[in-house]
């Protein structure tokens, strides 16, 4: 009876392949649950505090180990079921950048920068052209001013020269008029002292050069043209010496026009 009962409760042999598959599935399920449990429930680490001790605390004596538990009775293992790993949500791969869009944006940026540079260059050129135009206008204005000054100076010089010439002509005319008057006085004085010879016929012309002192005194008579009558020539020279001193103008210009210190006298009877 006891042998029959022991034979009834004796454990049945379990196939080794099924037990290995079951153990492997349990381990895989445990690892998966451990990984996802840790990754889902990861929390930031809290603050860490440290206590400083001056001396090590007393180590309590080791506790006695409890007696070993009796081995458990073998349990009839249920047939292992295939374990399927939970599906992990796949993260979609990042989209590749749109090369055409990037190129378009880069081209638009390059065009915008080129437009800004062109505007800046155009503004610089405009400012430089305006500066050159102002400088050119200033130079032209300076040239015109200088030309106007030169023309005004030339006009003033011409006016002064014209005035000087007019004044000289006026003074010369006045001096000539005074010289003519004194020449007529000299001729009349000489004529008054001339005795005409009896054999003089006609109205002959005689020309002489009379050298005089500043006081009008006659120093020498030089013949230039004879009248053709020696007696009249002698009488004319005597009359000139007798008329000394001759009347002379006080004005230097009139004296110069008269020819002082050498007077030219054209005399007729």
């Amino acid at each position: 009876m006891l042998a029959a009962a022991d034979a009834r409760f004796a454990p049945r042999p379990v196939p080794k392949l099924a037990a290995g598959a079951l153990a492997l599935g349990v381990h895989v399920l445990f690892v998966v649950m451990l990984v996802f449990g840790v990754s889902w429930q990861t929390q930031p680490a809290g603050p860490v505090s440290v206590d400083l001790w001056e001396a090590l605390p007393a180590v309590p004596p080791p506790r006695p180990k409890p007696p070993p538990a009796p081995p458990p009775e073998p349990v009839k293992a249920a047939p292992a079921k295939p374990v399927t790993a939970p599906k992990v949500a796949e993260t979609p791969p990042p989209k590749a950048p749109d090369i055409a869009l990037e190129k378009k944006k880069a081209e638009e940026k390059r065009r915008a920068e080129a437009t800004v540079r062109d505007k800046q260059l155009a503004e610089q050129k405009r400012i430089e052209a305006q500066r050159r135009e102002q400088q050119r206008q200033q130079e032209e204005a300076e040239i015109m001013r200088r030309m106007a000054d030169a023309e005004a100076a030339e006009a003033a010089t011409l006016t002064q020269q014209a005035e000087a010439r007019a004044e000289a002509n006026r003074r010369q005319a006045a001096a000539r008029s005074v010289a003519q008057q004194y020449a007529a006085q000299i001729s009349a004085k000489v004529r008054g002292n001339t005795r005409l010879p009896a054999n003089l016929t006609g109205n002959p012309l005689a020309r002489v050069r009379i050298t005089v002192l500043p006081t009008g005194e006659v120093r020498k008579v030089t013949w230039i043209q004879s009248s053709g009558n020696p007696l009249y020539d002698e009488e004319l020279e005597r009359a000139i010496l007798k008329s000394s001193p001759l009347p002379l103008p006080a004005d230097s210009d009139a004296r110069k026009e008269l020819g002082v210190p050498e007077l030219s006298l054209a005399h007729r009877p």
Side-chain angles (χ1 to χ4, degrees):
M1 293 294 291
L2 291 174
D6 293 336
R8 189 180 52 184
F9 291 103
R12 298 179 181 179
V14 180
K16 295 182 178 180
L17 182 61
L22 178 61
L24 179 62
V26 171
H27 282 81
V28 169
L29 179 60
F30 178 75
V31 170
V32 171
M33 292 178 64
L34 180 63
V35 170
F36 280 92
V38 170
S39 62
W40 289 348
Q41 299 180 5
T42 300
Q43 295 180 357
V48 177
S49 60
V50 177
D51 295 335
L52 299 179
W53 297 77
E54 293 182 356
L56 295 176
V59 179
R63 295 179 181 181
K65 295 182 179 180
E73 293 182 358
V75 181
K76 183 178 181 180
K81 295 182 180 180
V83 179
T84 58
K87 293 183 179 181
V88 180
E90 297 181 357
T91 304
K95 294 184 179 180
D98 193 345
I99 299 177
L101 181 59
E102 293 295 331
K103 287 184 177 180
K104 183 177 180 181
K105 291 181 178 180
E107 182 66 20
E108 291 178 354
K109 182 179 180 181
R110 187 185 64 79
R111 289 180 180 178
E113 293 176 351
T115 302
V116 173
R117 287 195 301 270
D118 293 342
K119 289 182 178 179
Q120 293 177 351
L121 183 60
E123 182 66 16
Q124 292 177 358
K125 290 182 177 179
R126 185 187 66 80
I127 295 174
E128 182 65 21
Q130 185 178 3
R131 186 187 64 81
R132 288 197 299 267
E133 180 64 19
Q134 292 178 353
Q135 184 177 2
R136 185 186 64 80
Q137 292 179 359
Q138 292 177 357
E139 291 176 353
E140 290 183 354
E142 181 65 18
I143 292 173
M144 295 297 295
R145 185 186 64 78
R146 291 181 179 178
M147 291 177 62
D149 293 344
E151 291 178 356
E154 184 178 2
T157 303
L158 293 176
T159 302
Q160 292 177 358
Q161 291 177 355
E163 291 177 353
R165 285 194 299 269
E167 180 65 18
N169 293 334
R170 185 189 64 78
R171 294 180 61 181
Q172 185 177 6
R176 187 179 297 113
S177 176
V178 173
Q180 289 175 358
Q181 293 175 9
Y182 275 86
Q185 293 178 13
I186 292 171
S187 181
K189 187 175 182 179
V190 171
R191 186 177 289 107
N193 292 324
T194 302
R195 291 181 301 180
L196 300 178
N199 61 349
L200 181 63
T201 58
N203 191 21
L205 175 64
R207 293 181 180 275
V208 295
R209 181 179 296 112
I210 306 171
T211 303
V212 296
L213 295 175
T215 58
E217 296 180 1
V218 179
R219 298 189 59 187
K220 184 174 64 173
V221 178
T222 304
W223 283 91
I224 299 174
Q225 179 182 345
S226 174
S227 64
N229 189 328
L231 295 177
Y232 177 71
D233 292 344
E234 292 178 3
E235 184 62 26
L236 179 59
E237 185 175 350
R238 184 193 63 79
I240 293 173
L241 294 174
K242 186 180 179 180
S243 300
S244 179
L246 299 176
L248 296 178
D251 183 64
S252 60
D253 293 335
R255 284 176 174 252
K256 187 183 296 185
E257 287 291 333
L258 192 58
V260 177
E262 292 184 350
L263 307 179
S264 296
L265 179 61
H267 189 76
R268 292 180 183 274

